[in-house]
Structures are given as structure tokens and as C-alpha cells.
């Protein structure tokens, strides 16, 4: 396992890439209303990244992925491919953005509500966001990957939700996906210890029902096997000398 510790210059580029990724989510929010299609959301984000940010939407053609963003609606867990189906009132959708700027990646996602959504959908999104923030609170030199996974698993399962295990967070930098893998479940004190200047993503996927998944015929879209609602939130995080810095923090979170 080769984990790359970032230089000061690289961290500067990662800060910029992270900021741009967060700004795409801020830009797209007003457009996510009932009646819009995920293809339209994709096109708006694509044009904004290319034309306004002078950057590259990293998912486009990554290992054959056909779109510039991932849009995962309701029981889709992750890697949903944008399409022409209109979103309707009551839907929840995860928009996952990865921006490539000056050869470095910023990766983040958040949940959006389409109009008024059900209390159980809202609660799932809230608890999933709490899982992410509890995990981020663990991040500092000496914290283990198991500590991160444990924080997520404990909070999700104490709320009677399940943690998807087939997908994980990851190191990130010049490459979209680097070592280490960041599991969203685990035991305290296990796995590698974090070091200053590591950069990684934490991106828990939490289901209302069972954790089991099914990947559709397109080879990308992962859905909950029991068709229960799923939610995900993601940030890119730098390990600092005394703790962490969220590189993809949005204005609403500051």
C-alpha cells in the first residue's frame, strides 16, 4: 500500500480543487426542483465546471463512465448515471461532484430534497450527514481508519440503519482514487494510522433497509437490493498537524 503524503504545493492545489467542487454543489442547488431531469443537472454542472471554473469534470469517461457527475435518486446508493427521467416531488437525490483542476482532484457530494419529502427520508439524510461529520471529527494524526469506520457504523446502526460495505472512501490527489481505502465500518484502533498531509475522502452510504446492494446492467448504478431508500454525503479531508481541514466545505456549513 503506497500512501502519498502531499507537499505544501500539492495541498494548495487540493484546496483549490476542493473549493471548486463545493462551489458546483452551491451553484446547482437552485435548479434541483421537481420536473428537472438528472441529465439537465449533469449538463448544467458540466458547463459550469468547464466554462466558469476552467476545470474538468473528472467522472466523464473515467473507466468508461458516460457523464460528468453521478446522480443517485431514492434507492440508488451511488454511481447513478444521469438520464432523462424527471425528478418528482418527494424524491431525494445525491449529486456527486469531482472536479479536476491543475491535475488535482476535489471530490464531494450532498443530498438534495425535491420539494417536501417524507419524514423518514429526511431523517435518513440527516443521520447520514451526521455519520460523515462524526467520522471527520475523528481525523487527526494517529487516528486509525478503524476509528473512522467505527464512528459511522455506530451512529448508523444505533439509528437502525445499515452501512453499505461494497464501496468506500479513498485517498485522493493527482489520482481520482489513491490508497488507502476508507471503510465506513470498523473497529476502534484497527487499520493504518493517519499521518499529517494525507488527504482522503469519507463518503458513507447508509440504507434505511438492509445493506445489500445490486449493480444494474449498466455496470455502474448501485441500488439497494430491497429497494429501500439510501443516502450519501461526502467530503475531501486533509490531515493537519493537530486535526483536519475539510477541503470541500460549503458556505452553508461554515
Amino acid at each position: 500500500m503506497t500512501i502519498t503524503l502531499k507537499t505544501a504545493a500539492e495541498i494548495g492545489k487540493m484546496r483549490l480543487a476542493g473549493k471548486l467542487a463545493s462551489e458546483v454543489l452551491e451553484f446547482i442547488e437552485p435548479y434541483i426542483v421537481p420536473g428537472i431531469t438528472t441529465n439537465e443537472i449533469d449538463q448544467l454542472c458540466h458547463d459550469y465546471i468547464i466554462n466558469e471554473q476552467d476545470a474538468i469534470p473528472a467522472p466523464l469517461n473515467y473507466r468508461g463512465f458516460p457523464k460528468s457527475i453521478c446522480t443517485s435518486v431514492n434507492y440508488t446508493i451511488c454511481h447513478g448515471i444521469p438520464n432523462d427521467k424527471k425528478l418528482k416531488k418527494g424524491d431525494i437525490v445525491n449529486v456527486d461532484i469531482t472536479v479536476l483542476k491543475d491535475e488535482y482532484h476535489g471530490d464531494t457530494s450532498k443530498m438534495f430534497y425535491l420539494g417536501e419529502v417524507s419524514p423518514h427520508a429526511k431523517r435518513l439524510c440527516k443521520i447520514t450527514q451526521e455519520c460523515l461529520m462524526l467520522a471527520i471529527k475523528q481525523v487527526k494524526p494517529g487516528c486509525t481508519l478503524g476509528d473512522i469506520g467505527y464512528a459511522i457504523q455506530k451512529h448508523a446502526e444505533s439509528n437502525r440503519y445499515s452501512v453499505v460495505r461494497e464501496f468506500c472512501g479513498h485517498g485522493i490527489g493527482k489520482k481520482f482514487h489513491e490508497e488507502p481505502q476508507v471503510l465506513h465500518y470498523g473497529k476502534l484502533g484497527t487499520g493504518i494510522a493517519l499521518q499529517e498531509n494525507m488527504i482522503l475522502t469519507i463518503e458513507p452510504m447508509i440504507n434505511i433497509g438492509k445493506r445489500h446492494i445490486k449493480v444494474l446492467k449498466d455496470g455502474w448504478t448501485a441500488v439497494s437490493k430491497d429497494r429501500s431508500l439510501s443516502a450519501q454525503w461526502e467530503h475531501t479531508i486533509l490531515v493537519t498537524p493537530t486535526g483536519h481541514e475539510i477541503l470541500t466545505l460549503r458556505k452553508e456549513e461554515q
Side-chain angles (χ1 to χ4, degrees):
M1 185 188 298
T2 305
I3 296 171
T4 61
L5 302 180
K6 305 301 187 284
T7 66
E10 289 177 313
I11 289 168
K13 290 185 176 184
M14 290 294 291
R15 279 198 183 99
L16 176 57
K19 181 174 182 285
L20 293 178
S22 70
E23 287 174 352
V24 180
L25 289 177
E26 292 169 342
F27 157 76
I28 199 61
E29 182 152 19
Y31 297 96
I32 300 182
V33 295
I36 196 169
T37 69
T38 50
N39 256 343
E40 290 169 331
I41 295 169
D42 175 78
Q43 190 63 55
L44 285 164
C45 290
H46 175 92
D47 292 345
Y48 183 78
I49 293 166
I50 298 282
N51 299 326
E52 300 299 322
Q53 298 184 330
D54 191 24
I56 297 168
L60 185 61
N61 300 320
Y62 178 76
R63 296 183 180 173
F65 190 79
K67 297 288 181 173
S68 295
I69 65 172
C70 298
T71 51
S72 301
V73 183
N74 294 334
Y75 60 85
T76 300
I77 293 167
C78 62
H79 302 155
I81 299 174
N83 59 37
D84 286 325
K85 185 178 179 183
K86 289 185 178 182
L87 296 177
K88 62 186 187 301
K89 186 178 177 182
D91 284 342
I92 59 173
V93 58
N94 175 275
V95 176
D96 192 342
I97 303 291
T98 308
V99 169
L100 179 60
K101 177 75 171 180
D102 295 335
E103 298 186 300
Y104 287 83
H105 293 80
D107 192 0
T108 188
S109 80
K110 69 170 280 187
M111 298 301 298
F112 294 90
Y113 302 152
L114 277 296
E116 192 61 39
V117 304
S118 68
H120 66 272
K122 198 172 285 187
R123 181 173 182 271
L124 171 68
C125 294
K126 176 177 177 288
I127 296 296
T128 304
Q129 187 177 25
E130 288 171 2
C131 284
L132 171 62
M133 299 316 292
L134 286 167
I136 291 173
K137 278 185 179 178
Q138 309 306 310
V139 175
K140 61 184 179 183
C143 156
T144 70
L145 292 177
D147 297 342
I148 292 171
Y150 176 83
I152 294 166
Q153 185 179 4
K154 181 183 178 186
H155 193 58
E157 292 180 354
S158 70
N159 283 281
R160 299 187 177 181
Y161 296 148
S162 62
V163 179
V164 173
R165 299 190 175 208
E166 287 80 2
F167 303 100
C168 60
H170 49 88
I172 186 168
K174 258 195 170 181
K175 293 181 180 175
F176 196 155
H177 297 91
E178 299 179 354
E179 294 292 348
Q181 293 191 339
V182 183
L183 303 182
H184 300 125
Y185 59 95
K187 295 180 180 177
L188 291 172
T190 62
I192 69 156
L194 301 187
Q195 299 177 58
E196 180 184 345
N197 295 343
M198 284 176 61
I199 300 181
L200 46 84
T201 73
I202 303 176
E203 45 187 296
M205 288 146 268
I206 308 297
N207 293 349
I208 278 185
K210 294 181 179 177
R211 68 173 182 82
H212 306 292
I213 77 160
K214 177 183 178 184
V215 177
L216 301 186
K217 288 179 182 177
D218 60 33
W220 284 100
T221 309
V223 301
S224 56
K225 202 169 184 180
D226 60 7
R227 296 292 175 104
S228 63
L229 287 178
S230 186
Q232 181 187 22
W233 297 77
E234 176 183 13
H235 272 311
T236 299
I237 302 110
L238 164 69
V239 184
T240 66
T242 57
H244 60 266
E245 178 185 341
I246 303 173
L247 302 182
T248 46
L249 202 67
R250 298 181 301 282
K251 290 189 182 76
E252 66 185 4
E253 298 174 296
Q254 294 172 7

